[in-house]
């Protein structure tokens, strides 16, 4: 069930400069639950800030994706924090955000990051959930127009150990869905003649820095629940050196 290494997953087309994020509570018909969700409004800032920090320090800072800086400095990243606790509720938010992205000009919103700090914290569950995500894209008729990439604090390539540093290329502070425009990907690749080399270069960069170097970036979650999830990813049966991060 663990996702295999695929080059198209490697390059994270994200970045953030302006942070006015759309903060989403769990999708529910219960006004009581909705009211309770509003109590989390202030704390959702932490999830956006952690995601921005990860993008700036890791994705852009390590040049894991050469295409990221441009959309970052232009403020074309849209942030959505869903406090949903079930995959079904996340899918409802995903449907809305896919449709919104498709209707919004790319120069205004080129890509969307949907952060889910309270849902699908087990990577294998998250990995299975991605099949439902792809189904939503197809049902909406957006296949070939939009695609969804994924990141998770416990991300693990097939055939690797949990504490293999190369897994960090697809690790984010929280379970995250990245909504991308196919046209933007094609355009970016066309101006980067050796796009196929990005994956291997990223593997080399991470292997050289090691897990200690990755942890030193401090790009992990800064909420208690997310930190526990990240600590699990950074450890196998025998935990490596202590550190903050993924």
């Amino acid at each position: 069930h663990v996702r295999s290494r695929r080059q198209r997953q490697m390059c994270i087309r994200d970045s953030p400069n302006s942070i006015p994020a759309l903060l989403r509570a769990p999708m529910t018909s219960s006004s009581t639950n909705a009211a309770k969700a509003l109590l989390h409004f202030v704390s959702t800032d932490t999830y956006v800030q952690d995601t921005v920090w990860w993008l700036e320090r890791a994705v852009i800072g390590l040049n894991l994706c050469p295409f990221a800086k441009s959309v970052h400095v232009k403020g074309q990243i849209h942030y959505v924090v869903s406090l949903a606790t079930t995959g079904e509720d996340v899918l409802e938010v995903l449907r809305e955000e896919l449709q919104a992205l498709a209707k919004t000009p790319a120069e205004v919103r080129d890509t969307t990051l949907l952060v889910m700090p309270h849902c699908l914290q087990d990577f294998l569950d998250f990995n299975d959930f991605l099949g439902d995500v792809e189904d939503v894209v197809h049902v909406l008729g957006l296949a070939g127009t939009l695609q969804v990439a994924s990141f998770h604090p416990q991300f693990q390539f097939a055939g690797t150990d949990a504490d293999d540093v190369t897994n960090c290329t697809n690790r984010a502070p929280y379970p995250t869905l990245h909504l991308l425009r196919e046209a933007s990907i094609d355009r970016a690749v066309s101006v980067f003649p050796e796009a196929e080399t990005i994956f291997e270069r990223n593997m080399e960069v991470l292997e050289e820095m090691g897990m200690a170097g990755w942890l030193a970036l401090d790009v992990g979650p800064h909420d208690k629940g997310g930190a526990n999830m990240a600590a699990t990813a950074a450890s196998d049966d025998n935990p490596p050196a202590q550190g903050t991060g993924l």
Side-chain angles (χ1 to χ4, degrees):
H1 296 288
V2 181
R3 293 181 77 81
S4 59
R5 299 184 185 219
R6 297 197 318 203
Q7 288 188 10
R8 76 177 185 84
Q9 278 190 296
M10 270 312 315
C11 190
I12 314 163
R13 277 199 77 270
D14 320 354
S15 59
N17 204 10
S18 53
I19 302 189
L22 174 62
L23 303 176
R24 302 298 298 271
M27 302 297 293
T28 172
S29 59
S30 168
S31 58
T32 300
N33 288 344
K36 289 180 179 178
L38 292 176
L39 297 177
H40 295 284
F41 181 84
V42 175
S43 66
T44 53
D45 287 346
T46 298
Y47 306 129
V48 177
Q49 291 164 2
D50 284 350
T51 301
V52 170
W53 182 247
W54 162 69
L55 287 167
E56 292 182 332
R57 293 274 288 175
V59 179
I60 296 175
L62 298 178
N63 200 30
L64 297 180
C65 178
F67 318 132
K69 188 173 182 179
S70 175
V71 287
H72 172 64
V73 299
K74 293 177 183 177
Q76 294 173 330
I77 307 297
H78 181 60
Y79 298 90
V80 180
V81 176
S82 172
L83 299 179
T85 57
T86 69
E88 182 180 350
D89 289 340
V90 169
L91 290 176
E92 184 62 32
V93 178
L94 175 65
R95 291 185 189 96
E96 294 182 8
E97 293 304 325
L98 284 168
Q99 293 172 317
L101 182 61
K103 294 176 182 178
T104 305
E107 58 270 21
V108 175
R109 181 187 304 178
D110 189 74
T111 189
T112 296
L113 286 175
L114 171 53
V115 182
M116 306 166 290
H118 300 323
C119 191
L120 298 165
Q121 297 187 3
D122 179 84
F123 175 60
L124 292 181
D125 290 341
F126 178 78
N127 192 62
D128 291 341
F129 173 74
L130 297 179
D132 294 333
V133 169
E134 293 182 5
D135 288 345
V136 168
V137 175
H138 283 276
V139 169
L140 292 177
L142 294 174
T145 301
L146 301 179
Q147 67 171 254
V148 181
S150 58
F151 304 93
H152 195 278
Q154 298 171 0
F155 184 93
Q156 185 176 351
F157 287 116
T160 66
D161 294 329
D163 60 353
D164 187 325
V165 70
T166 61
N167 291 319
C168 295
T169 59
N170 287 60
R171 287 184 179 176
Y174 309 99
T176 300
L177 297 178
H178 183 193
L179 285 54
L180 300 132
R181 299 175 187 268
E182 295 276 6
S184 294
I185 297 172
D186 293 341
R187 187 165 53 250
V189 170
S190 69
V191 299
F192 194 84
E194 299 181 345
E196 68 278 1
T197 66
I198 294 173
F199 180 87
E200 293 304 328
R201 178 229 171 243
N202 288 348
M203 297 295 103
E204 293 172 1
V205 167
L206 287 167
E207 287 172 349
E208 182 177 348
M209 73 187 303
M211 186 59 79
W214 175 263
L215 294 175
L217 292 176
D218 189 27
V219 291
H222 292 89
D223 78 304
K224 184 176 180 181
N228 290 339
M229 184 167 31
T232 299
S235 65
D236 207 329
D237 292 333
N238 298 309
Q242 293 289 328
T244 304
L246 304 167

